[in-house]
C-alpha cells in the first residue's frame, strides 16, 4: 500500500504532486460532513485519474485568531492526519496558519497556492468553508473562478442527523454532555484521544483496578465521568485492541486534583508505562462521584466494569478507522 504523503510549506516544489484533487477544510474531528467532502474529492480524483489529497491548516485558525481562548479540539494534528489517512485519500497538504497566511487574500490563495504551487485539478469543499483575508473566499467564489482556471469545483451541502446539521461544534457539545453515542453518530466512528501512559499514585493497583494513566489536553472538554473504552496498542501488524473502563476527572474520593484519564484494561497484565495508546470512547456510564468508603468505591467499580463490558460487547467492532502516517 502506498504511503500517505504529507506536503508542508517546507516541502520542495519538486516533491509536490501536481495536478491532484484537493478536499479543502479544517477537518477537526473528520466527521460525516468532512467525509462527504473527502468522498467527493476521491471520486473526482478517480474520474480524472488524479490523486486526491486533503488540504488543511495547522494550527487551527481559531487558535491563531484567539490564542488566549480555550479551544477544545476534537483532533490534534497527528490524530487528524491518521483519520485522513484512513479515508482513501493519498495524502494531505498541511499549510501553516500564521500571520502571513491570515493576511493572504482569497484571490492570491487561489492563484498562488492552489494553482501556482499545487497545480490542483479540482477542489471539493463544504458549503460553509471560507478562506483568505477577512474570510472573503467562499465556495461561490471558487465555483465562479473554476471555468477561468480550468478546474472542477464540487460544493457539498451540510450533512444532517435527525434534522440537525453535523458540525465540529455540535460534537464538542455532545462530548461535553457525555453524549458519546451522539458524538459517534456524527463522527462516523468513536471519538478518541492519544497520549502516553504516565506514572500515577498506584491507588488503582491497591483497589484491584490498576490503571493506565494519561494527561489529556488542558482544553479537553469531555464530561468528567466513567466510560466504556476500547484501547488501541501498537502499530501495523502488531496492533491490538483491548477493552476497558476509564475514569476521566479529578478523583474526588481521593485528591480532587488535575483532570486525569485513568483506564483499567480488562484481562490485561502487562506494564504500559511510557507507551502511547489510543483510547476510543464507546459509551458513557455515569458521572464521577465521591464515595464515603473504599468498599463503596470498589462495589461501584465492579458495577461500572460490568456495564462497560456489556456496552463493549454490544459494539464489538467499533473503533476509529485510522491510517498509518510517518
Amino acid at each position: 500500500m502506498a504511503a500517505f504523503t504529507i506536503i508542508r510549506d517546507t516541502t520542495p516544489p519538486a516533491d509536490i504532486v501536481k495536478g491532484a484533487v484537493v478536499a479543502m477544510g479544517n477537518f477537526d474531528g473528520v466527521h460525516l460532513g468532512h467525509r462527504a467532502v473527502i468522498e467527493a474529492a476521491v471520486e473526482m480524483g478517480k474520474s480524472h485519474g488524479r490523486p486526491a489529497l486533503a488540504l488543511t491548516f495547522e494550527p487551527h485558525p481559531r487558535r491563531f485568531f484567539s490564542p488566549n481562548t480555550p479551544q477544545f479540539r476534537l483532533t490534534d494534528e497527528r490524530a487528524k492526519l491518521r483519520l485522513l489517512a484512513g479515508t482513501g485519500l493519498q495524502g494531505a497538504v498541511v499549510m501553516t496558519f500564521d500571520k502571513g497566511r491570515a493576511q493572504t487574500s482569497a484571490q492570491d490563495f487561489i492563484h498562488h497556492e492552489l494553482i501556482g504551487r499545487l497545480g490542483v485539478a479540482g477542489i471539493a469543499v463544504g458549503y460553509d468553508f471560507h478562506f483568505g483575508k477577512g474570510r472573503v473566499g467562499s465556495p461561490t467564489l471558487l465555483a465562479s473562478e473554476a471555468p477561468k482556471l480550468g478546474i472542477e469545483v464540487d460544493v457539498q451541502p451540510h450533512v444532517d442527523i435527525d434534522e440537525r446539521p453535523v458540525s465540529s461544534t455540535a460534537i464538542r457539545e455532545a462530548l461535553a454532555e457525555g453524549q458519546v453515542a451522539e458524538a459517534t453518530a456524527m463522527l462516523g466512528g468513536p471519538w478518541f484521544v492519544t497520549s502516553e501512559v504516565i506514572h500515577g499514585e498506584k491507588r488503582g493497583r491497591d483497589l484491584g483496578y490498576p490503571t493506565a494513566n494519561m494527561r489529556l489536553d488542558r482544553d479537553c472538554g469531555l464530561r468528567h465521568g466513567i466510560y466504556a473504552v476500547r484501547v488501541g496498542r501498537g502499530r501495523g501488524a502488531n496492533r491490538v485492541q483491548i477493552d476497558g473502563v476509564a475514569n476521566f476527572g479529578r478523583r474526588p474520593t481521593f485528591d480532587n486534583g488535575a483532570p486525569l484519564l485513568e483506564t483499567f484494561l480488562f484481562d490485561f497484565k502487562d506494564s504500559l508505562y511510557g507507551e502511547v495508546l489510543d483510547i476510543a470512547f464507546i459509551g458513557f456510564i455515569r458521572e464521577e462521584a465521591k464515595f464515603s468508603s473504599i468498599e463503596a468505591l470498589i462495589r461501584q467499580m465492579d458495577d461500572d466494569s460490568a456495564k462497560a463490558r456489556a456496552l463493549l460487547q454490544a459494539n464489538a467492532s467499533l473503533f476509529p478507522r485510522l491510517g498509518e502516517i510517518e
Side-chain angles (χ1 to χ4, degrees), residues 210 233 240 242-243 264-272 275:
R233 182 192 188 199
V240 296
I242 310 162
D243 288 349
F264 172 66
L265 282 68
F266 299 142
D267 312 312
F268 183 85
K269 300 297 182 185
D270 292 352
S271 173
L272 292 168
E275 288 197 33

Side-chain angles (χ1 to χ4, degrees), residues 159-301:
V159 173
D160 294 345
I161 294 179
D162 296 330
E163 300 183 353
R164 182 185 184 190
V166 171
S167 70
S168 299
T169 298
I171 295 165
R172 290 186 199 101
E173 291 171 353
L175 292 171
E177 295 168 1
Q179 300 293 336
V180 173
E182 185 178 331
T184 297
M186 289 188 281
L187 285 165
W191 182 68
F192 77 102
V193 296
T194 304
S195 189
E196 181 180 341
V197 178
I198 61 174
H199 287 275
E201 298 295 329
K202 310 292 192 299
R203 293 194 192 99
R205 182 183 301 172
D206 296 335
L207 300 174
Y209 283 91
T211 57
N213 302 319
M214 299 172 166
R215 296 280 182 207
L216 303 189
D217 186 271
R218 66 179 182 179
D219 294 333
C220 177
L222 179 69
R223 182 180 183 180
H224 289 186
I226 312 301
Y227 293 85
V229 298
R230 184 158 287 131
V231 179
R233 182 192 188 199
R235 295 188 64 183
N238 296 320
R239 188 164 175 80
V240 296
Q241 293 177 11
I242 310 162
D243 288 349
V245 61
N247 179 85
F248 178 58
R250 297 182 181 276
R251 307 161 303 286
T253 301
F254 296 105
D255 59 7
N256 211 28
L260 190 69
L261 179 65
E262 302 170 288
T263 304
F264 172 66
L265 282 68
F266 299 142
D267 312 312
F268 183 85
K269 300 297 182 185
D270 292 352
S271 173
L272 292 168
Y273 292 121
E275 288 197 33
V276 175
L277 305 177
D278 299 319
I279 312 290
F281 293 80
I282 308 301
F284 180 77
I285 296 173
R286 64 172 175 85
E287 290 184 336
E288 192 176 37
K290 184 173 182 177
F291 293 88
S292 58
S293 69
I294 297 300
E295 292 74 21
L297 172 59
I298 292 173
R299 285 195 299 272
Q300 184 61 60
M301 292 167 74

Side-chain angles (χ1 to χ4, degrees), residues 4 17 39-40 52 100 110 114 144 163 204 286:
F4 187 77
V17 180
E39 287 167 13
I110 293 171
L114 298 179
S144 68
E163 300 183 353
R286 64 172 175 85

Side-chain angles (χ1 to χ4, degrees), residues 13-27:
D15 294 338
I16 295 175
V17 180
K18 294 293 184 79
V21 170
V22 295
M24 213 161 50
N26 290 314
F27 298 125

Side-chain angles (χ1 to χ4, degrees), residues 45-95:
K46 288 179 181 176
S47 68
H48 294 295
R50 305 279 191 170
L53 312 175
L55 190 161
T56 191
F57 303 88
E58 287 292 339
H60 194 291
R62 281 198 317 271
R63 175 68 69 186
F64 173 81
F65 288 115
S66 303
N68 299 318
T69 302
Q71 308 283 352
F72 174 20
R73 284 192 60 170
L74 298 174
T75 44
D76 61 18
E77 179 180 342
R78 185 170 180 82
K80 177 168 67 173
L81 289 172
R82 291 173 72 200
L83 284 166
L84 291 171
T87 63
L89 292 166
Q90 282 77 54
V93 180
V94 181
M95 293 187 171

